[in-house]
Amino acid sequence: LSGITIAYKGRILVECHSIGSPMHAGAHAENPIEKTIEYYEKLRRHFPRHHTFDSVIFNVTHIDYGRRSELNVIPGKLDFFIDVRIPPSADIGKIEQLFLTSAPAGLEVSIIPHSFPGCELSVNHQLVRAMVAAVRSASLTPRYLKKSGMADMNLSMSAGIPTLAYGPGDSKLDHTDAEFLSWADFDKAISVLEKFLQSPALARNH
């Protein structure tokens, strides 16, 4: 209820296909799984695990390979996706090139179209000042949030439309089985937004 989101990371989605030849596990063969591990470890050296807002975060989010009924066979291919989150300060083109050029031979990498840059609105912008006042009107202490996810704000900011995000709930629970929102917080957030929309600073620029 007290959080005002002024920044989101951008996003790149990387599609990867590691190619080999299906062979018996006792054979000496190119192993798509090992190529994938090699690629992952190289990327991890560029982007160590940490979650500061100014860091690049990536995670493998889907893998498809092999068959459980053929545990004695080296798979012929391994398909996987990497979700990359990029701060506004990073050059999205350079990050894309790093993912493309870091792949070893036999591993095909492509960038899914429609990557989104990160975005950040100044704390001195009139929208932010109006929201700070609205949050304080509900006897809450405003705090600025910079999030590792992405939202419609990325699209509107890239189109030149000043934007902030506000709403109740705990973002740490997003996409988990424990995600919930209390009615009390929902109602209070509505009152905060009403105050925000009535701000004289916004009316002067309508």
Side-chain angles (χ1 to χ4, degrees), residues 182-193:
S182 74
W183 282 113
D185 286 355
F186 182 73
D187 286 340
K188 195 159 191 176
I190 291 173
S191 68
V192 170
L193 288 169

Side-chain angles (χ1 to χ4, degrees), residues 143 169-176:
R143 57 197 178 94
D170 185 350
S171 61
K172 295 185 184 67
L173 301 178
D174 286 356
H175 305 302
T176 70

Side-chain angles (χ1 to χ4, degrees), residues 130-150:
M131 184 57 80
V132 165
V135 170
R136 285 178 175 155
S137 73
S139 301
L140 299 167
T141 301
R143 57 197 178 94
Y144 301 124
L145 303 179
K146 297 182 179 183
K147 295 190 174 183
S148 294
M150 63 165 291

Side-chain angles (χ1 to χ4, degrees), residues 65-73 75:
Y65 67 103
R67 295 181 180 178
R68 192 177 181 87
S69 61
E70 298 177 348
L71 298 181
N72 64 335
V73 177

